[in-house]
Each structure stands twice: as structure tokens, then as C-alpha cells.
Amino acid sequence: MLPQLTRASAPLTERVTALDEHGQAVEVSIPAERALTVYVDKRELVTLMTLGAHPEWLVLGYLRNQRLVASADELASITVDWDSGAAAVRTRQGIADLAARTRQRTVTTGCGPGSVFGDLMAELDDIRLGAGRLGQDQLYGLLNAIRLQESTYKSAGSVHGCALFERERMLIFVEDVGRHNAIDTIAGWMWLEHSGAPGGLRGDDKVFYTTGRLTSEMVIKAAQMGVPIVVSRSGITQMGLQVARQLGLCAVGRAVNRRFLCFSAPERLGLSGAADAGG
Amino acid sequence: MLPQLTRASAPLTERVTALDEHGQAVEVSIPAERALTVYVDKRELVTLMTLGAHPEWLVLGYLRNQRLVASADELASITVDWDSGAAAVRTRQGIADLAARTRQRTVTTGCGPGSVFGDLMAELDDIRLGAGRLGQDQLYGLLNAIRLQESTYKSAGSVHGCALFERERMLIFVEDVGRHNAIDTIAGWMWLEHSGAPGGLRGDDKVFYTTGRLTSEMVIKAAQMGVPIVVSRSGITQMGLQVARQLGLCAVGRAVNRRFLCFSAPERLGLSGAADAGG
């Protein structure tokens, strides 16, 4: 049974006046940044700084990616109220040992939740990715869809975008002031789709796109969602690549228009020279 | 008395082979990303994901910006060992109530430590910024210095840079895979400079530059260091601007070459129309 979710909304951008280099007043849009404090069964868990586009999915995905809940069914409701900046999560059975499981803190290179990182690295061995592939033309179609996507970034900048694709078809596009909020929001959405199936929407035939860098934590989070191919407009870090290679996850960076660099598992793109790229 | 610091170093970039869109193998540099677990008097505090350029300054600045230590003198030594990925911090007197003070967690839009955020917002009222100003020509000199700076970003991308300036003179330039690691590293360095003076190097005549967005936490951290002017190549978020206005901190965004947008306190730049920009 799905949790009951509010649909709290709030403006994503604000028009402000700045002065340019000539001292002239110019009107510009800037992205919202809101503090959303998450309470699980009335216990304060964390405060997320978010653009606020999909706060309920964000909270659900955060709880998922922190592995505090194993399925959306465990939650009775998520109630977001922007006036108080609070997200009240009610579970059906409670979360065992919540305090202990949220104690370990890791600060990552990613924007956002990091406490999960240490555990994740330890659990990489348990992750088995499906045989997902993406044709080069499909990759170009994906990049074109991103190019055409209307976004807060275009109007206000200073936000990260991410999207989930089925081949070149965009299923969902999410922006947030933090990259990890954006991917957590997609994780939450995936749980609500096909939530009958354990784990919700399957990831093995999906492709994850992000405007942000492919750090270790971004790669791990995509893998956690079962998505075997990640595409980024930006580059990749050493540990991000190490994790991608370990998982056989195809990491594509510097992907803009018809250019890209495939850092790992090029066989998923049907590129030659797999060995060269350590895939 | 200054803490004893190791000077642990490690390669900042790695050459890897990727495949381009033609399936051709190309050699590219990618930035390192290392897990550094901080132990304070043998108690595990946090794991920072870092490029690893100045791990001792990073740890010192992290402890400063988390307000776990009030002065560098409180620390006897910081010993970083990359083989074990550990930073051992020895204090002279211990840190009172360390557990409680590190319990509250906040995940921010910033890359990196967020737990401090909630407290910080509450303490904004205590921050008094000096009368620092920056002439427009000095701002252009600053931006030119950044343009000329050799960097890991230029060779490998995917890192954030920040720098501390005294007018147009660059005092220190730091890069890291996380923006907040970079500013924390500068905070640590400031403490070691003029460490005789309480708070170390004074910030009121300094300018902080970052390639990253001016989120609330970035603005607050600059203010914590007493720096009244922040300059970014990127934009600003709503809460970042709100905090900057509240503090009378001059926030300059979209600053590249001879163009910029001043979002707050334009009087510090000698620009007209201060009121227009809510300064």
C-alpha cells in the first residue's frame, strides 16, 4: 500500500534586483533554497536544503537511499508543510534502531547526504547490475532531450538537474540546489511507480543522467537504484571511476551534444576497445 | 602554540584511458577523490571525501567551521596517513561534549559538512562584519588572477576552486572535489597564519572567491571567517542572498572577466544603487 503524500508546492525561483558591472539595476531570477526538516515518527532525522520542487519524493528517496526503509509500503504518510519547513513521516511499524543507523556520518564530495557512504562502499559487492545497454544514437537522443528540457537552470541557474531515461525517452527530470537531492527525488519517484514490484520501477533498463560530476557517491546511488548506465555533462572522479569499474557500470562523462567520454563498461554502449577503458 | 602537522601528500590527478564518441581511446586526467576519516583523540568523527591537496589544513578548518575547536592552539597535532586514510587529531585538553555537539545533522546544498548549518542560522546575529571594501578595478584584478591560476581544474576538471584575496592579491588558492572542503581548508590555513592573534588571520580586509554557487552555507562560512565580500563564478541561491543581506555581506555572482552581478551590499564595491540591490 502506498504512503499518503501531500503535494506541497512553493515557488522555485525568485526575481531579485542585482547591479551589473555598470552599476545598472538588472532583474534576475535566482533559485529557491529551503530548509526541510524531516521527522520520522516525530523524531527529528535531518534537515535537507532543497529547491522544493518535489519534497515528498525527496524525503521518500532520501529514506530509501539512506536505506532506512526497504519499501515505500513501510510508510503510512509523508506530510510536508512549507510554513513550518517540516516533513512529517509516519511509518506503519516504526524504524528499528533509527538512532544507531543514522549515527555514522560521512561527508562526501556530493552535495547532500553523506552519512550513508561508508556503509555503501562496504556493500558494493552485493550490487549486481543488469545487462542494460544504450545505443550511441539513443545516447544522442537522450542528450538532445536534455538540451530541449525547460528548466529552472535555464531561468535561474545554480541548480543541478538529473533525469531518468528509458533508452532515449525521458521518464522524469528533477532539479534541486543539491545534486543528491535530485537523485534522491528520482529514487523516491521510482518507488512510487510500479510500487507493487519490490523496489518499485526496475532500473536495469534505465539510464541516469546528471549535470553534476560523477563522484563515487553519485555512481553508488545510481547502482543502488539498479541503473547500470550513468551519463554526465561533467567529469568523473577517481573513486567514481573505481566504483563504476568495480560494478561494471557504464560511466559516460563530458556528454554534450554529440560528444562524450566513456570511462567504463563501453560494451554497454557498443563501443569498441572495452578493455582500453577498463570496462 | 601551533599544532604539529604532517605534510601528507598524494597525487591530485590520475591519467586514465577513456573512449570518445568515435570509439577512440583517449588519455585524460581525472581528479583524485580520497576518503579521509578524522579521529579526534581516537574517537571517529567524520569521513571527508577530498582531493587530498592539504589534508591537515582541511581537518583543522573543518574542526574550526564546525566550531568544535575555538583556536588552533587547542590542538596538539594533526597526523594524516594516506595509507590508512586516517587523520589523527590530538587535542591538548580534549573537546568537551564532542558526541552531543556532533549529533545534529543537516544536509545542505553545499558539498560537504552540513551538520553545522542549523546552529549557524541561529547565530547569524552574532556575526559582525568589518567595513571591508573592494574597488571595481581590484575585483577585475582578482578575476584576472583566478584566470591565470594554474589548477587541477584546468588539467582534470571536476573540482571546485576557492581562493582568499587581500584586495587583488591572491593569498591562497585551494581546490577540492567538494566546495566546502576547499573553504574549510582556507579556514584552517587562516588559523595557522598569525595564529598568535585570536582567530588567526583577520578576514575583514579579505575577499573570498569560489567557483561554486553562493548557497546559504557558503555565505555563512565566509562570514564566520570574518570575510565581508564573496565573489563567485556561479550564481546565488535565495537563502544565500537572504543571509548575505542580513549580514551586510557583499555577494558578487556570475563574475567572469569584466562582468559580474552584485546581489547585496554594493556599497562595498562602490557601486551606485545600493538600495536597489537590497544591500
Side-chain angles (χ1 to χ4, degrees), chain B residues 179-260:
Chain B
R179 298 179 301 146
H180 284 270
N181 287 347
I183 186 171
D184 284 350
T185 301
I186 287 181
W189 175 84
M190 286 176 78
W191 251 7
L192 296 177
E193 298 288 307
H194 301 261
S195 59
L201 193 67
R202 58 189 285 215
D204 61 354
D205 59 347
K206 305 297 186 300
V207 178
F208 175 71
Y209 173 88
T210 175
T211 59
R213 297 163 295 150
L214 297 173
T215 60
S216 49
E217 192 171 14
M218 290 300 280
V219 171
I220 290 170
K221 284 194 170 187
Q224 263 192 304
M225 291 160 19
V227 177
I229 301 173
V230 297
V231 178
S232 171
R233 192 179 63 191
S234 308
I236 192 168
T237 64
Q238 198 171 30
M239 198 176 289
L241 178 55
Q242 182 186 320
V243 172
R245 285 174 172 169
Q246 188 174 336
L247 294 172
L249 181 145
C250 177
V252 177
R254 306 267 169 234
V256 179
N257 301 325
R258 298 178 73 81
R259 302 204 57 192
F260 62 86

Side-chain angles (χ1 to χ4, degrees), chain A residues 204-216:
Chain A
D204 59 355
D205 59 347
K206 306 296 187 301
V207 178
F208 176 71
Y209 173 89
T210 174
T211 58
R213 294 163 297 147
L214 297 172
T215 60
S216 48

Side-chain angles (χ1 to χ4, degrees), chain A residues 10 21 25 47 53 66 74-75 79 85 102 105 119 140 149 154 156 187 217 226-227 235 240 242 249 255:
Chain A
E21 62 275 10
T47 299
Q66 297 279 319
E74 295 181 15
L75 303 181
T79 306
T102 55
R105 294 178 50 228
D119 310 343
Y140 291 148
Q149 173 70 37
K154 286 178 184 172
E217 191 170 14
V227 176
Q242 182 186 318
L249 181 146

Side-chain angles (χ1 to χ4, degrees), chain A residues 11-14 16-26 28-35 44-51 62 66 102-117 136 140 156-160 176-179 181 213-217 234-241 245 254 258-263 266 271-274 276-278, chain B residues 11-14 16-26 28-35 44-51 62 66 102-117 136 140 156-160 176-179 181 213-217 234-241 245 254 258-263 266 271-274 276-278:
Chain A
L12 301 186
T13 63
E14 180 192 16
V16 300
T17 303
L19 296 180
D20 66 14
E21 62 275 10
H22 309 297
Q24 300 300 314
V26 290
V28 293
S29 289
I30 62 174
E33 182 190 7
R34 297 185 173 82
E44 179 173 346
L45 177 62
V46 68
T47 299
L48 302 166
M49 302 299 299
T50 176
L51 182 66
Y62 177 81
Q66 297 279 319
T102 55
R103 194 176 296 123
Q104 185 198 356
R105 294 178 50 228
T106 298
V107 175
T108 74
T109 51
C111 302
S115 64
V116 75
F117 184 83
Q136 196 159 342
Y140 291 148
S158 298
V159 294
H160 283 292
D176 209 315
V177 276
R179 297 178 302 144
N181 287 348
R213 294 163 297 147
L214 297 172
T215 60
S216 48
E217 191 170 14
S234 308
I236 192 167
T237 65
Q238 199 170 31
M239 198 175 290
L241 178 56
R245 285 174 172 169
R254 307 266 169 234
R258 298 179 74 82
R259 302 204 57 192
F260 63 85
L261 289 173
C262 176
F263 288 100
L271 293 177
S272 57
D276 298 343
Chain B
L12 300 187
T13 63
E14 180 193 14
V16 299
T17 302
L19 296 180
D20 66 13
E21 62 276 12
H22 308 297
Q24 300 300 315
V26 290
V28 293
S29 290
I30 62 174
E33 182 188 6
R34 297 183 173 82
E44 177 173 348
L45 177 61
V46 69
T47 299
L48 302 166
M49 302 300 300
T50 177
L51 182 66
Y62 177 81
Q66 296 281 319
T102 55
R103 194 173 298 126
Q104 186 199 355
R105 294 178 51 227
T106 298
V107 175
T108 75
T109 51
C111 302
S115 65
V116 74
F117 183 84
Q136 195 160 342
Y140 291 148
S158 298
V159 295
H160 282 292
D176 209 314
V177 274
R179 298 179 301 146
N181 287 347
R213 297 163 295 150
L214 297 173
T215 60
S216 49
E217 192 171 14
S234 308
I236 192 168
T237 64
Q238 198 171 30
M239 198 176 289
L241 178 55
R245 285 174 172 169
R254 306 267 169 234
R258 298 178 73 81
R259 302 204 57 192
F260 62 86
L261 288 174
C262 177
F263 288 99
L271 294 176
S272 56
D276 298 341

Side-chain angles (χ1 to χ4, degrees), chain A residues 87-132:
Chain A
V89 178
R90 276 199 308 109
T91 66
R92 300 187 194 278
Q93 312 281 346
I95 295 178
D97 205 13
L98 183 61
R101 291 162 66 187
T102 55
R103 194 176 296 123
Q104 185 198 356
R105 294 178 50 228
T106 298
V107 175
T108 74
T109 51
C111 302
S115 64
V116 75
F117 184 83
D119 310 343
L120 280 183
M121 288 301 280
E123 293 180 14
L124 282 184
D125 295 344
D126 305 339
I127 299 180
R128 296 275 173 276
L129 294 174

